[in-house]
Amino acid sequence: MMRTPRPLESLTGKELTRKRSIAGVSTRTLLYLTGTLAARGFEWLLPVVLSKSTDPLWPDPGASIEKRVETDIYGETVRTTQSMIIHKLVACSTAYPKLFVLSPNVRIEKRERRATGWHSYEFTQLDFEVRDASSGSVRTLVESAVSGLVRDLQKSARAELESLGRLRGVKVPETPFRAYDRETLVDRYGEGWEHELPGAIRNPVWVTNIPREFYDFEDPATGKWDNYDLFVPERGEILSGARREWEYSRMASKMARDGVRKENYALILRLAREGRLRPSAGGGIGVERLVSWVVGSRHVGEVQPFPKVPGVVYEL
Ligand code: AMP
Ligand code: MG
């Protein structure tokens, strides 16, 4: 039975020590990843929380949203950030060819998801995007960052990993990671491949060609999606990314096909129509999931100082 993460004020001394060790690993993780990206010429942008336009999270076979948070300010309807994908595409096409942002995402996941140990209703994405990049180049960057991170943590967070009993828990991943077309996994494991895959791998793997939101590139010639998810052993998906659509006609027809309301995406459609949207590729890594995998926590909420567990609302 999964234990629901509890708030700070109700933890025992031993549990608080564990919480602090996890924070040590999390600190080193953030230092390593932000440092790696900054050293490679990425600009570090600060996040936003309220906008008219946010990620539709639709259609996405993995999405399960109970409600979308909207409010009116100054006579306009705004939404809390579900992801900064729309902001990233505009920012990357205009001022910042290589960017990243630590972005708070609010996704009111269905309450049943409390039991997965893998969902919170608020979490942080390390979201990045690179103008004119190929999928392959982004995947190579992620592989070296994930593998370099584990190597770094074994030194920089040695005491914390030791106290969490995880010094030998996560091996330094071997690069390059294997990549599987989703269709191959459906043949092998059936439609529940996402649940089967983590138990069947020893090293992180990529899954490509996943039908989902309009902004991921769908090759009209082959019908394949040029996107990728990173799965880690035992746990599951920690990153989703893609090469992006940038042409107006393709974005607009996918929105019509999927029933996504064009009026919520007026700006990005206008930029695309004016030829001001540029090709790019990128991804977003769930920071809490990454740390949860490294420290071996049973619930991703355990990594959060203030757990946001689906269906459970604490005071803080
Ligand atoms: P997405 O683009 O929707 O796949 O989100 C990007 C990444 O954010 C995922 O690969 C996960 O690592 C993370 N993520 C998504 N939803 C959640 C959630 N409810 N709780 C924690 N992390 C999440
Ligand atoms: Mg995903």
Side-chain angles (χ1 to χ4, degrees), residues 2-3 5 18-19 22 25 116-120 161 164-166 170 233-235 287-304:
M2 173 83 48
R3 283 197 73 190
R18 180 175 160 81
K19 199 88 180 171
I22 294 174
V25 174
T116 65
W118 209 218
H119 294 87
S120 293
L161 289 174
L164 294 162
R166 290 293 285 177
V170 179
E234 313 294 344
R235 299 305 297 275
V287 176
E288 295 87 348
R289 283 192 185 177
L290 174 66
V291 175
S292 179
W293 168 59
V294 171
V295 302
S297 78
R298 302 256 292 275
H299 198 292
V300 68
E302 204 197 340
V303 165
Q304 299 182 293

Side-chain angles (χ1 to χ4, degrees), residues 107 109 118-120 123 125 237-240 284 286 289:
R107 299 188 187 176
E109 302 279 1
W118 209 218
H119 294 87
S120 293
F123 62 94
Q125 267 200 63
E237 177 203 322
I238 60 166
L239 172 146
S240 286
R289 283 192 185 177

Side-chain angles (χ1 to χ4, degrees), residues 14 21 30 33 37-38 43 64 74 107 125 127 148-149 183 186 205 215 231 237 244 253 259 261 275 303 312:
K14 214 171 139 198
S21 297
L30 290 167
L33 294 178
L37 291 172
E43 250 96 40
S64 157
Y74 312 119
R107 299 188 187 176
Q125 267 200 63
D127 219 345
L149 169 68
E183 288 169 12
V186 172
V205 300
Y215 45 76
F231 279 72
E237 177 203 322
R244 312 298 181 184
S253 66
R261 288 157 65 172
V303 165
V312 182

Side-chain angles (χ1 to χ4, degrees), residues 62-258:
S64 157
I65 297 296
E66 184 156 314
K67 73 178 280 186
R68 290 159 199 277
V69 183
E70 293 184 359
T71 189
D72 287 340
I73 55 171
Y74 312 119
E76 301 273 7
T77 301
V78 291
R79 298 167 177 92
T80 49
T81 298
Q82 298 202 117
S83 93
M84 281 184 64
I85 180 67
I86 306 296
H87 302 73
K88 278 200 314 181
L89 297 186
V90 171
C92 186
S93 293
T94 54
Y96 318 100
K98 294 169 93 175
L99 68 92
F100 70 96
V101 49
L102 282 164
S103 157
N105 288 192
V106 177
R107 299 188 187 176
I108 312 304
E109 302 279 1
K110 294 221 163 94
R111 60 194 73 211
E112 305 85 89
R113 286 204 155 172
R114 164 171 151 184
T116 65
W118 209 218
H119 294 87
S120 293
Y121 66 86
E122 275 188 44
F123 62 94
T124 303
Q125 267 200 63
L126 177 54
D127 219 345
F128 61 95
E129 198 69 24
V130 184
R131 194 188 291 171
D132 293 323
S134 64
S135 288
S137 68
V138 170
R139 298 213 299 251
T140 304
L141 168 70
V142 171
E143 289 172 6
S144 93
V146 169
S147 161
L149 169 68
V150 177
R151 198 176 300 112
D152 178 87
L153 290 174
Q154 290 181 345
K155 294 203 185 84
S156 68
R158 190 180 177 84
E160 289 87 346
L161 289 174
E162 204 143 37
S163 88
L164 294 162
R166 290 293 285 177
L167 198 51
R168 266 160 227 78
V170 179
K171 300 209 166 48
V172 177
E174 285 168 29
T175 59
F177 302 165
R178 288 186 125 176
Y180 297 94
D181 188 306
R182 174 191 48 87
E183 288 169 12
T184 313
L185 298 176
V186 172
D187 288 345
R188 192 177 299 173
Y189 301 111
E191 291 299 332
W193 62 268
E194 276 190 71
H195 306 291
E196 302 297 322
L197 186 62
I201 55 177
R202 296 266 170 125
N203 201 57
V205 300
W206 293 107
V207 180
T208 63
N209 184 30
I210 305 166
R212 55 189 178 208
E213 293 90 344
F214 69 85
Y215 45 76
D216 282 11
F217 188 84
E218 192 182 355
D219 191 331
T222 61
K224 298 248 184 215
W225 292 70
D226 191 0
N227 56 16
Y228 35 87
D229 277 6
L230 184 62
F231 279 72
V232 293
E234 313 294 344
R235 299 305 297 275
E237 177 203 322
I238 60 166
L239 172 146
S240 286
R243 179 155 76 100
R244 312 298 181 184
E245 300 282 6
W246 76 98
E247 286 176 5
Y248 174 78
S249 60
R250 298 193 42 76
M251 276 193 174
S253 66
K254 288 168 92 178
M255 283 184 194
R257 175 182 80 186
D258 301 340

